[in-house]
Amino acid sequence: MAAVEWKPLEDIKNGDVLAEDLYDGTSFKVLLSKGTRINEDILKNLEKREILWIPVEGKGEKLEKIRSSIDLDQELLKVEEPIAPGIRLSVPDEMYRGIITSFKDLSEELKVEGRINTETVEHTLAAVVDDLIIQENYVVNLFRKHVSGYLYKHGINTSILSVMIGSTLSMSRYHLIPLAKAALFHDVGLMFLKDPEYVDIGSLSDRDKLLQHTTIGYKILSSKGILQSREILDAVLEHHEKFDGTGIPFEKKGDDINFYARILQIADAYDSLTSTTTKALKLSPYQALKWILARSGKDYDPYVLNAFVKVVGMYPTGTKVKLNDGRIGTVMRTSGVGLLVPVLIIGDKILDLSKNKNTWIVSVIE
Ligand SMILES: [Fe+2]
């Protein structure tokens, strides 16, 4: 019998065979049955549904082995496409790469016995927070083409975006640093989904096993002494709770959900929706924003969502828009004046719509 191997979607190839029934993330319906051969269309559909990991038949190689072969440092640091190429990044390139390296090293250490040293990660995260709190108008331009190391980059993007939201909510540095940490580590449990030490393999459905990453993450981070603060641990544990009380694991509602969790889950969604591992991008920044706004009060806290909209504006960085004079531009950032008058890049020129009363956006191209 073939062994079951959970693999990140980015590593699934045409022709791989599903080793277990796959459940829809929101209902309990079987999405694909065991034995299905994966093809391009199925992959696109899974991406659309934000399914990050699936079980396929393998030769029983250790997940560890697969991971170390794809997450080589050079692979990880390869230049990848940001949301809007040609526009400055949310944090300097070097800083971004610095966090990838320190976070990756720490994640590897997680598998080793005993407590581990988090100093380097803490240091790089503090530098990111310090860099972000002095910025006046944020440019939400993150690497979105995750060729490899999805979990690391997703953690970092979620962290950067969470700090932007937190800072817009006037949170102090004292709170932004733990928020950045919680966001960085929120999905760490996904790396341990196959580890029998943490997963109750016998009695649960596949969907429940996948969702266990919140409790696994919590257990690992607390046992290794990485996140000592109760608040941060709870944020990891509760990041799949929903504002209307239908989330996991506790079905907590509204303000009862950890505040850091309510922030990081919006950042989490935005990065997941705009990231891609294939050439065809799933959602444009504008579509991703609409997707998230449609879930205000259901999945997400409207108060936090309001701050998120202040960060990205109604036309997020990377949105291609048409102006009333026929010109086409790409949104760089909000102008800080209003949500509908962003700063654009047209060719090699910058146009601040808040300062040009005769020019406005008539439609979104993508
Ligand atoms: Fe998650």
Side-chain angles (χ1 to χ4, degrees):
M1 216 180 90
V4 180
E5 276 177 16
W6 279 85
K7 287 189 184 177
L9 208 55
E10 65 202 67
D11 291 342
I12 301 296
K13 290 178 215 74
N14 254 335
D16 277 349
V17 175
L18 204 63
E20 290 175 8
D21 288 342
L22 191 69
Y23 290 82
D24 183 7
T26 48
S27 64
F28 282 95
K29 281 183 199 137
V30 175
L31 201 61
L32 292 170
S33 327
K34 183 179 168 179
T36 305
R37 203 166 279 278
I38 307 294
N39 59 34
E40 282 292 324
D41 288 344
I42 293 179
L43 277 178
K44 273 189 200 143
N45 198 344
L46 292 175
E47 253 186 69
K48 215 184 329 189
R49 289 173 182 271
E50 288 183 84
I51 292 173
L52 301 179
W53 289 66
I54 64 169
V56 290
E57 290 181 0
K59 295 185 196 82
E61 298 159 20
K62 276 253 159 53
L63 193 63
E64 191 57 40
K65 203 173 143 201
I66 302 165
R67 191 175 294 126
S68 57
S69 67
I70 56 162
D71 281 346
L72 294 172
D73 282 0
Q74 311 92 295
E75 273 288 297
L76 269 175
L77 299 178
K78 208 151 68 179
V79 176
E80 294 177 19
E81 193 191 298
I83 290 175
I87 292 179
R88 80 169 169 85
L89 294 165
S90 293
V91 299
D93 200 42
E94 212 175 296
M95 189 178 268
Y96 192 97
R97 285 161 209 280
I99 334 170
I100 295 182
T101 313
S102 58
F103 183 34
K104 179 187 163 285
D105 289 349
L106 194 141
S107 305
E108 311 264 287
E109 269 183 67
L110 280 178
K111 289 159 200 142
V112 185
E113 285 287 308
R115 298 202 154 214
I116 57 175
N117 187 355
T118 59
E119 214 175 294
T120 320
V121 165
E122 310 231 352
H123 205 77
T124 44
L125 270 188
V128 170
V129 171
D130 289 338
D131 185 80
L132 289 170
I133 38 186
I134 52 163
Q135 291 185 25
E136 239 176 75
N137 294 299
Y138 292 125
V139 176
V140 184
N141 198 18
L142 303 156
F143 287 115
R144 68 170 174 181
K145 201 174 170 192
H146 301 300
V147 174
S148 64
Y150 176 78
L151 281 180
Y152 305 127
K153 287 170 198 165
H154 174 58
I156 291 158
N157 285 353
T158 306
S159 190
I160 292 171
L161 204 42
S162 295
V163 172
M164 290 177 174
I165 300 170
S167 180
T168 305
L169 285 166
S170 303
M171 282 166 71
S172 66
R173 185 178 187 273
Y174 179 78
H175 288 110
L176 289 174
I177 289 183
L179 169 65
K181 270 201 215 172
L184 185 69
F185 286 107
H186 77 280
D187 266 344
V188 115
L190 284 177
M191 299 179 193
F192 293 83
L193 270 187
K194 284 292 287 175
D195 194 331
E197 194 187 326
Y198 296 101
V199 186
D200 178 8
I201 300 283
S203 57
L204 297 167
S205 74
D206 296 339
R207 176 181 180 270
D208 288 342
K209 275 182 214 159
L210 189 67
L211 289 176
Q212 263 190 339
H213 76 276
T214 52
T215 42
I216 298 170
Y218 176 87
K219 279 187 210 164
I220 288 164
L221 296 172
S222 51
S223 69
K224 300 276 178 178
I226 296 173
L227 306 177
Q228 291 93 343
S229 137
R230 179 88 232 169
E231 276 269 274
I232 311 181
L233 288 170
D234 285 347
V236 174
L237 186 59
E238 295 174 21
H239 81 268
H240 281 289
E241 294 287 354
K242 292 182 175 183
F243 198 70
D244 66 2
T246 61
I248 58 122
F250 307 120
E251 300 188 352
K252 281 195 177 182
K253 219 175 185 171
D255 286 354
D256 286 344
I257 304 167
N258 175 286
F259 189 50
Y260 295 152
R262 276 179 277 149
I263 295 175
L264 82 84
Q265 57 188 199
I266 294 175
D268 175 12
Y270 190 74
D271 183 60
S272 304
L273 292 168
T274 55
S275 300
T276 178
T277 52
T278 62
K279 279 192 191 86
L281 178 70
K282 207 205 125 222
L283 289 189
S284 69
Y286 182 72
Q287 288 170 325
L289 173 64
K290 284 210 297 191
W291 190 99
I292 293 169
L293 285 179
R295 285 157 182 80
S296 175
K298 294 180 200 137
D299 293 4
Y300 307 117
D301 179 342
Y303 169 72
V304 179
L305 206 45
N306 189 50
F308 172 67
V309 177
K310 277 189 195 161
V311 170
V312 294
M314 285 311 289
Y315 306 104
T317 300
T319 305
K320 283 205 171 51
V321 293
K322 191 174 177 189
L323 300 178
N324 59 324
D325 58 14
R327 284 183 295 169
I328 287 170
T330 304
V331 175
M332 179 164 81
R333 59 169 172 82
T334 65
S335 56
V337 177
L339 300 177
L340 298 171
V341 283
V343 177
L344 305 179
I345 294 214
I346 303 177
D348 55 1
K349 289 198 176 60
I350 290 178
L351 176 69
D352 184 343
L353 287 182
S354 69
K355 296 192 175 115
N356 287 270
K357 304 287 180 221
N358 297 323
T359 318
W360 59 87
I361 293 169
V362 288
S363 61
V364 168
I365 295 170
E366 62 171 270

